[in-house]
Amino acid sequence: MSDDAKRRSETALPSQHEDGAGRLAGIGLEPESQDVIARKLREAYAAKLGEEVPDKFRQLLDHLASKKGG
Amino acid sequence: MMASLEKDELQRSLMMLIPNLRAFAMSLVRKHDLADDLVQEALIRAFQNIHQFAAGSNLKAWLFTILRNAYLSHLRKRRFEVGDPDGVHAEGLVVPGGQSAHMELLEFQRALDSLPSDQREAIVLVGAEGFSYEEAALMCGCAVGTMKSRVSRARSKLAEVMGLSPSDELTVA
C-alpha cells in the first residue's frame, strides 16, 4: 500500500462511531464478534481506498475546472 | 464565475475524495467500470451544482449523496444487475500481504457482497467511511432508527455468514 493510501486508511478509519475498543455498536453480538467484523470491514475498505486513482479523473477535474472558470 | 482560489480548492478537495468515492461506488455496484462511471457522473454533477453546496458543511457527505443519487438514476435507467455472481469484484481485489490474509479478505468481501444493498450501503457509510448515523440517514433518505437497524442487521448477517457466534472462540489480531 502506498504512503498516501496508508494515510487515508489511518485517517478515515476506524469509524468515530466505534467505541474505545474499535467496535461498532451492536445488537445481540458478542464484543469479540463485533471486533472481528469491524476489523475485516476496515481491511476490506482500506484495500479499495488504496487502489490507484486512474489519471482520467484528474483530467476530468481539470476539464470541469477550466469550463467552470470560464 | 467561480473565483480562481475557490475553483482550485474545490478541485483539490475533490481529487482527495476520489478514492473514497470510488470505494463507495464499488460497494454499490461492485464493478470497476460502472463504479468509475458513477464517480465521473458525481464529479460532473458536483461541479454543475457547486452553488448549492453550503460553505462550511460536509463536502464528503454532499458528494456521497450526489454519487448515491447518480447510482439510483442509473438503476432506474438501466435496471442493471448489481450482484457479483461470478465473484468478479471479489476476485479482482488487490490485497497486499500473505495468501492466507488474502483469502480471509476475499471471504469477507463475498460476505459483504451477499448483503442486501441497503444494509451493505449502511455498514459501509457508518462502519467504513465514518459517517454518523444521522449523516448516513440523511444521505439515504431514511430515519436515523432505520439506518441503525440496517447497520445492526448487516453486522448480524456478516457474523452469521462468517460463522461468528457468541459461543465461538475468536482470535483477534
Side-chain angles (χ1 to χ4, degrees):
Chain A
M1 192 182 291
S2 68
D3 288 344
D4 187 50
K6 278 182 190 166
R7 181 185 54 75
R8 283 181 188 285
S9 60
E10 284 167 5
T11 54
L13 307 169
S15 162
Q16 61 182 300
H17 310 293
E18 295 172 352
D19 65 14
R23 64 178 74 100
L24 289 159
I27 300 169
L29 279 179
E30 286 291 297
E32 291 82 359
S33 296
Q34 295 175 34
D35 283 340
V36 172
I37 291 168
R39 179 168 54 83
K40 292 284 183 190
L41 182 63
R42 287 198 297 271
E43 287 174 2
Y45 207 70
K48 290 180 186 173
L49 286 175
E51 289 182 15
E52 190 177 347
V53 175
D55 197 52
K56 63 182 177 183
F57 288 104
R58 182 180 298 281
Q59 292 171 10
L60 174 66
L61 288 179
D62 286 343
H63 174 70
L64 292 170
S66 67
K67 279 176 67 180
K68 203 74 182 178
Chain B
M1 184 185 296
M2 190 182 281
S4 176
L5 181 61
E6 191 181 35
K7 183 182 69 179
D8 290 346
E9 278 182 1
L10 174 65
Q11 194 172 351
R12 202 165 32 248
S13 299
L14 291 179
M15 197 67 208
M16 290 284 289
L17 288 170
I18 285 177
N20 300 75
L21 290 169
R22 294 181 79 221
F24 180 51
M26 273 299 290
S27 74
L28 294 174
V29 298
R30 292 169 287 168
K31 291 179 181 175
H32 275 97
D33 54 346
L34 275 177
D36 281 355
D37 285 350
L38 287 178
V39 173
Q40 290 190 52
E41 176 65 25
L43 293 173
I44 291 168
R45 289 187 188 187
F47 261 88
Q48 287 172 341
N49 298 290
I50 190 62
H51 58 281
Q52 294 177 4
F53 175 69
S57 57
N58 189 334
L59 178 65
K60 185 171 154 185
W62 186 66
L63 286 169
F64 270 55
T65 303
I66 292 174
L67 176 62
R68 188 175 183 277
N69 287 338
Y71 164 65
L72 294 178
S73 297
H74 205 77
L75 269 185
R76 280 194 292 269
K77 262 192 265 181
R78 298 179 59 175
R79 296 180 182 278
F80 60 78
E81 175 57 56
V82 297
D84 186 29
D86 302 322
V88 174
H89 170 225
E91 297 297 343
L93 279 175
V94 178
V95 183
Q99 188 68 15
S100 174
H102 188 169
M103 292 307 292
E104 280 184 21
L105 205 48
L106 283 178
E107 282 176 19
F108 181 81
Q109 187 62 59
R110 288 198 182 97
L112 194 60
D113 287 350
S114 74
L115 294 175
S117 59
D118 61 340
Q119 293 176 24
R120 187 172 61 249
E121 177 181 64
I123 200 165
V124 165
L125 287 173
V126 176
E129 278 292 350
F131 288 110
S132 68
Y133 285 112
E134 289 77 11
E135 288 171 329
L138 202 59
M139 279 181 224
C140 297
C142 66
V144 176
T146 303
M147 181 54 62
K148 288 181 179 176
S149 172
R150 287 176 183 171
V151 172
S152 178
R153 276 183 283 145
R155 206 167 26 243
S156 295
K157 285 196 179 175
L158 285 174
E160 185 184 331
V161 172
M162 294 169 68
L164 301 174
S165 70
S167 59
D168 280 338
E169 287 188 13
L170 299 166
T171 305
V172 181

